[in-house]
Amino acid sequence: MNLDYLEKTLEKEPSFRLKQVKKAIFQDLIENWSEATTLSLSLRENLKEKHSLNIQAEVFSSQDKETIKALISLKDNLKVETVLMRHKNNRNTICVSSQIGCPLGCIFCATGKMGFQRNLEPLEIIEQVLFFARYLKKENQKVTNIVFMGMGEPFLNYDNVLESIRILNDKESFNLGARRISISTVGVKGGITKLADENLEINLAVSLHSADDELRSRIIPANKEYSLQKILEEVDSYVKKSRRRVMFEYLMIRDLNDSNECAEELVRLMKKRKLCFINIISYNPTGDLKPSLGVRIKEFKDILEKSGITVTQRYRFGKDIQGACGQLAGESK
Ligand code: SAH
Ligand code: SF4
């Protein structure tokens, strides 16, 4: 599927046709054109010939069925991973990828280890959502949230990511509220500032993992080029302009960034920042590094909370299928 090409096919049709076609794809979630009964038979035949609606994927389900991972094959045979996380109260979050691999090579990250292959196109991002939207439809459920926390650094593929968000948000297309969409970034020069200028109500998450510039550079090599201080300046302007909350993600890695001193440093960083909060993430080991012990996480969290910092905690999802966000490497195991 290619949206520009689709528009071209419909060029000679009255303008409401495009609306009908978008509704069929993104809202009725048709899997083949014969289901698009609002369209004439000849148009359906024409579309069937030119635009495949097929999304080829291998599916892996965790034992508890709460996490489902899809490995989608792209036109050049590369594979992209996307994950559905099922929460209580019919909340269904899709963790989408923005790139195949990632050039930033964070030491804890499976995607970073595989290197960088290419950026995903807007529709390749959207297809990840469509795949699970179709899947959920069969159970009368819907995609309720989308997080850009799969493979890749969204701000290194800024234009395509934003284009995909516009389509996902568009009332005539997928029609998911901007407040239900989140982007996670490690901090790429200018990315956060550019996002602030979009005036979109999407959520921003920043992968912090350390409040100390030197340690952060060891964990996230990209920090050497663009320091924590510069990222925080961008965050501060973002908050000032958007009045929106920012989530700082903090991965707990044993004996690396989980000491009481690390927590105190984090308190100093957070104290002066309004509307910011910490999300503590349990580490899914993908190499030599180990997750922090539960008691350590608790003490770390206590230090933050006693200082009045808002802390949330993200538990592991789908570890038996390498399906946790940030654990994706585009290979079937
Ligand atoms: N490149 C972006 C978005 C993709 S990673 C970023 O780094 O923010 C999304 C989140 O998953 C990040 O917070 C990242 O630190 C986290 N993550 C990466 N590897 C992980 C792992 N093995 N276990 C748990 N979280 C991980
Ligand atoms: Fe890239 Fe994010 Fe993984 Fe770092 S954590 S290598 S930025 S995907």
Side-chain angles (χ1 to χ4, degrees), residues 1-7 9-10 18 21-27 29-33 47-56 73-75 121-131 134 167-168 173-174:
M1 219 180 6
N2 174 320
L3 280 186
D4 294 335
Y5 183 47
L6 191 64
E7 283 181 24
T9 313
L10 297 167
L18 183 62
V21 166
K22 282 189 193 165
K23 181 174 179 295
I25 299 173
F26 297 112
Q27 295 179 12
L29 303 168
I30 58 165
E31 295 188 36
N32 60 65
W33 289 107
L47 288 166
K48 195 190 271 174
E49 237 167 75
K50 293 184 176 150
H51 304 276
S52 165
L53 291 171
N54 187 31
I55 304 173
Q56 186 88 31
S73 299
L74 304 175
K75 55 188 176 224
E121 291 166 10
L123 218 63
E124 290 174 327
I125 297 171
I126 292 169
E127 275 179 346
Q128 301 171 49
V129 179
L130 275 187
F131 179 81
R134 291 175 184 178
I167 295 168
L168 290 166
S173 299
F174 198 71

Side-chain angles (χ1 to χ4, degrees), residues 104-116:
L104 297 183
C106 301
I107 60 167
F108 53 80
C109 175
T111 308
K113 275 195 196 104
M114 71 180 273
F116 174 65

Side-chain angles (χ1 to χ4, degrees), residues 130-175:
L130 275 187
F131 179 81
F132 280 125
R134 291 175 184 178
Y135 181 100
L136 288 165
K137 189 188 166 196
K138 298 187 173 94
E139 298 177 17
N140 280 324
Q141 291 214 16
K142 285 188 165 185
V143 173
T144 58
N145 299 79
I146 297 172
V147 295
F148 281 80
M149 294 188 185
M151 300 162 74
E153 167 49 50
F155 285 167
L156 290 178
N157 187 16
Y158 188 92
D159 291 342
N160 289 351
V161 165
L162 263 288
E163 175 70 15
S164 73
I165 289 174
R166 279 191 201 98
I167 295 168
L168 290 166
N169 182 221
D170 175 24
K171 290 220 159 39
E172 285 179 11
S173 299
F174 198 71
N175 192 24

Side-chain angles (χ1 to χ4, degrees), residues 292-330:
S292 302
L293 299 172
V295 283
R296 187 87 290 276
I297 296 180
K298 191 178 175 304
E299 198 171 330
F300 193 94
K301 197 173 159 191
D302 282 349
I303 294 177
L304 298 176
E305 283 176 338
K306 279 200 186 107
S307 307
I309 313 257
T310 308
V311 187
T312 55
Q313 194 164 356
R314 189 199 300 166
Y315 295 91
R316 297 176 201 201
F317 261 95
K319 55 180 169 161
D320 54 332
I321 53 166
Q322 271 82 39
C325 284
Q327 207 183 354
L328 309 181

